[in-house]
Amino acid sequence: MLDKARELDAGDPLGHYRERFALPEGVIYLDGNSLGALPKATPARMEQVIRSEWGEGLIRSWNTADWIGAARRVGGKIAPLIGAQPHEVVAADSTSVNLFKLIAAALDMRREGHGGRKVILSEPGNFPTDLYMIQGLERQGLAKRRLVDRCNLEEALDSEVALLLLTHVHYKSGAMHDMAALTKAAHDAGALVLWDLSHSCGALPVDLNAAKADFAVGCGYKYLNGGPGSPAYAFVAERHHAALHQPLTGWFGHAAPFAFSDDYVAAPGIDRLLCGTSPILGLAALEVGVELLAEIGIEPLHAKSRALSEFFLVCLGEWGLDLELVSPLDSAQRGSQLSFRHENAYAICQALIARGVIGDFRDPDILRLGFAPAYLRFEDMAEAARHLSEVLHMGEWNRPEFSQRAAVT
Ligand SMILES: *Cc1c(COP(=O)(O)O)cnc(C)c1O
């Protein structure tokens, strides 16, 4: 399989992009869906922002280096990756905080004239923070959480539902929702829709406006390679800008922050989603990652992502491995990952990491392997499959040190 892999690498139009990333020797990185790799251009850009813009420019850089426009500028560069217009996306805060702002804004829009709808519909097993943020608003008396299995969501869209909140590509299984169909079903029921794109953006095409989505959020540090704790992004369809009221009414979301008036007046447009001072260093790193992915292009990234995961499954077959795949078998129906169920998933994952193959474990029994298409090779697929086969066939995972749990799994 290694020969076949090298042949595929030689013919891979994206192959040369691997050199644009700083990847450690001897590591096969199958966790770019959790923390993306470091673009080689990022340290130099950070150095420039820190030494020149901050060190020399000091406070003048809010104007001279356009720090004040950074949240909108970076959002505008993410927009084409998700089928949005540049003025519909802003880069700010964390995904969790953006979820809070947009769930609350949706509830506000459905309070009057809609019979005071309070239900936020989602699915059990959605990413925890998405479910927890609903509970925070429930505690405030503003929301009611309703969780329904993914196959029954459409029937659960009744006249009480204010918002359908879903993660487009499921973080654990990799299964993808039909964004256009579910958005339409929600609208037909009088509800709004908020999509979490954390595991979609940067790996596969998303077309928010074609689906007529209302809101979206997503992470900057996964496929966008913005670095640990990078700012997230939020999308609001243009048609909702004027009526959008989010509760974190900080001064950066004010129409005229530097008028220092006593009363809040929301900025016209997407800026009203901002709260406090923009994290300029984080935005600078995120901008490098976003520009690189935009340069490669989403369609080629998606094609490579599908080819990588399909080839990985072929390699597993060659090694005689018949693992329980919980991701959809059809690569058109899943994100850029493969998840396998195994009772010893944690120890297997640790044994792989000891061999330099970094994937991750998701409680209680899922081995999750992510295939970031911008920098992985087909050779990595063949080698990772060989390592996995050796770990399993030799019972290597059974060593006691591989069962000790660290704080972050
Ligand atoms: C990774 C992830 C998050 C993370 O949110 P943070 O606020 O950045 O910690 C949220 N939602 C989904 C679906 C994710 O996969």
Side-chain angles (χ1 to χ4, degrees):
M1 290 318 278
L2 205 49
D3 288 344
K4 174 73 187 157
R6 290 189 174 138
E7 195 184 306
L8 289 168
D9 283 324
D12 174 13
L14 303 193
H16 62 284
Y17 282 109
R18 180 180 173 84
E19 290 161 27
R20 304 276 292 276
F21 292 88
L23 292 160
E25 270 306 306
V27 164
I28 298 176
Y29 193 55
L30 306 184
D31 218 354
N33 51 333
S34 226
L35 175 64
L38 169 67
K40 278 188 185 158
T42 303
R45 173 70 185 137
M46 296 306 287
E47 173 99 11
Q48 182 197 12
V49 175
I50 292 170
R51 290 198 189 281
S52 167
E53 295 182 10
W54 176 13
E56 304 281 329
L58 291 167
I59 202 162
R60 294 169 290 190
S61 289
W62 281 103
N63 290 313
T64 56
D66 193 31
W67 287 354
I68 195 69
R72 230 174 309 125
R73 186 179 71 243
V74 179
K77 290 179 183 179
I78 294 170
L81 305 178
I82 54 177
Q85 303 179 77
H87 60 278
E88 292 175 313
V89 184
V90 78
D93 300 317
S94 63
T95 300
S96 302
V97 172
N98 288 333
L99 282 165
F100 179 84
K101 289 184 288 191
L102 290 175
I103 297 168
L107 286 163
D108 175 73
M109 280 182 181
R110 283 294 175 268
R111 195 164 299 133
E112 271 148 43
H114 294 88
R117 292 177 180 226
K118 272 188 163 182
V119 170
I120 311 295
L121 177 64
S122 192
E123 60 174 318
N126 192 357
F127 192 83
T129 212
D130 299 58
L131 300 181
Y132 301 163
M133 295 316 277
I134 307 172
Q135 286 182 302
L137 285 154
E138 201 166 32
R139 167 97 203 162
Q140 303 290 320
L142 296 168
K144 260 197 222 143
R145 193 174 78 154
R146 182 187 292 171
L147 304 184
V148 173
D149 281 332
R150 53 171 45 211
C151 45
N152 298 321
L153 284 167
E154 298 203 13
E155 292 96 274
L157 282 162
D158 60 22
S159 61
E160 294 186 339
V161 178
L163 178 74
L164 174 63
L165 164 58
L166 292 172
T167 300
H168 179 228
V169 169
H170 196 275
Y171 77 101
K172 207 186 270 190
S173 72
M176 197 190 313
H177 278 299
D178 184 338
M179 179 181 285
L182 281 162
T183 301
K184 178 164 191 316
H187 288 171
D188 288 349
L192 297 159
V193 186
L194 166 48
W195 289 100
D196 188 331
L197 304 176
S198 292
H199 287 278
S200 314
C201 178
L204 47 93
V206 173
D207 201 339
L208 289 169
N209 280 332
K212 301 195 168 57
D214 301 291
F215 313 114
V217 296
C219 289
Y221 51 80
K222 292 172 178 168
Y223 293 110
L224 294 181
N225 307 308
S230 141
Y233 54 89
F235 157 89
V236 176
E238 185 182 51
R239 64 183 178 281
H240 292 312
H241 285 185
L244 184 99
H245 297 287
Q246 60 94 358
L248 301 183
T249 46
W251 71 310
F252 257 57
H254 195 281
F258 292 93
F260 294 100
S261 72
D262 285 347
D263 294 308
Y264 183 81
V265 180
I270 194 74
D271 282 12
R272 62 177 57 192
L273 265 193
L274 298 177
C275 179
T277 306
S278 289
I280 296 303
L281 302 183
L283 285 170
L286 175 60
E287 192 165 17
V288 176
V290 170
E291 282 177 350
L292 181 46
L293 279 212
E295 180 189 332
I296 307 174
I298 282 298
E299 295 291 345
L301 284 164
H302 188 217
K304 170 117 182 247
S305 143
R306 292 178 62 179
L308 285 172
S309 66
E310 285 169 9
F311 183 66
F312 183 79
L313 288 176
V314 171
C315 293
L316 286 189
E318 289 288 319
W319 287 104
L321 285 183
D322 185 20
L323 291 167
E324 183 188 347
L325 180 67
V326 297
S327 306
L329 188 57
D330 176 1
S331 65
Q333 301 296 320
R334 63 178 184 240
S336 203
Q337 70 184 69
L338 289 171
S339 301
F340 301 96
R341 180 173 289 122
H342 195 290
E343 59 176 331
N344 303 115
Y346 183 80
I348 293 167
C349 183
Q350 294 307 306
L352 282 173
I353 292 173
R355 285 166 166 263
V357 181
I358 303 179
D360 68 20
F361 162 78
R362 284 293 173 263
D363 219 32
D365 55 3
I366 300 291
L367 174 66
R368 185 179 73 162
L369 305 177
F371 305 103
Y375 45 84
L376 287 177
R377 299 167 298 192
F378 290 92
E379 181 177 333
D380 298 321
M381 301 298 102
E383 285 296 274
R386 177 177 63 79
H387 284 295
L388 181 53
S389 151
E390 287 173 8
V391 162
L392 286 167
H393 287 145
M394 294 161 32
E396 192 172 297
W397 56 270
N398 218 355
R399 299 220 300 256
E401 68 265 33
F402 294 143
S403 293
Q404 272 159 23
R405 301 252 173 143
V408 174
T409 59

